[in-house]
Amino acid sequence: MTQHHNTRCRLATAWLAAGLMAIGGIAQAAPRAKNVDPLRMQYERERANCMTGQTNQPRDVCLREAGAAYAQARQGKLVSPGDRPEQWAANALKRCQAQPTMEDREMCERRVREGQVVGSVEAGGQLTTLTVRTVETPKNPG
């Protein structure tokens, strides 16, 4: 029984050592946070979505577009100079000017500034909502 116990202990120790060495190797092979390329990470996410069918496109089209977008992004051609959140807000406020009444324009501007965004571009669109509660007092009591 002692020999069997010693064999099991040696085997467990060997597995533990192998596991620790494997974990150490993985840690050494993992990229450092400061060396992570955000464009590459975006491409890898898009590629994974293509491969798992999480897009509305055929796989070959999705992969081709993800690769093309990655190439354009690396060349600095994918993002236009006006494509920043502050520009988006300014554009949204400009669209509020098309509202027919002053009250509608003011509510539109409040929605842009204070609204809660629901949804995502990946899911098909974003919707900004604003809940406003008002209490009206009756003009003629009784």
Side-chain angles (χ1 to χ4, degrees):
M1 180 139 174
T2 321
Q3 184 178 7
H4 181 64
H5 178 69
N6 286 340
T7 304
R8 281 196 319 180
C9 284
R10 276 188 253 154
L11 184 59
T13 303
W15 276 107
L16 179 61
L20 290 173
M21 287 174 53
I23 291 172
I26 291 170
Q28 289 292 325
R32 302 284 185 250
K34 62 182 177 183
N35 294 335
V36 172
D37 177 8
L39 299 176
R40 181 66 184 197
M41 295 297 292
Q42 177 67 30
Y43 166 71
E44 292 296 336
R45 280 190 298 271
E46 290 174 4
R47 187 176 185 286
N49 287 339
C50 294
M51 297 303 289
T52 57
Q54 294 180 359
T55 68
N56 295 329
Q57 299 172 313
R59 182 181 291 177
D60 61 331
V61 172
C62 183
L63 291 171
R64 186 172 50 247
E65 288 188 6
Y70 177 54
Q72 295 254 322
R74 289 190 63 188
Q75 295 171 3
K77 297 178 180 177
L78 191 60
V79 178
S80 65
D83 194 16
R84 291 188 291 280
E86 57 272 4
Q87 186 62 45
W88 302 338
N91 290 343
L93 289 171
K94 284 180 187 176
R95 287 191 299 274
C96 290
Q97 298 307 311
Q99 297 297 320
T101 66
M102 182 58 92
E103 183 180 352
D104 290 340
R105 270 176 271 186
E106 289 172 356
M107 287 306 293
C108 178
E109 290 173 2
R110 276 189 68 191
R111 190 170 43 254
V112 169
R113 290 186 179 107
E114 304 168 28
Q116 180 181 27
V117 177
V118 179
S120 69
V121 174
E122 291 171 342
Q126 293 179 323
L127 178 65
T128 305
T129 60
L130 177 67
T131 302
V132 179
R133 300 187 198 289
T134 60
V135 177
E136 294 184 26
T137 55
K139 294 184 181 181
N140 294 326

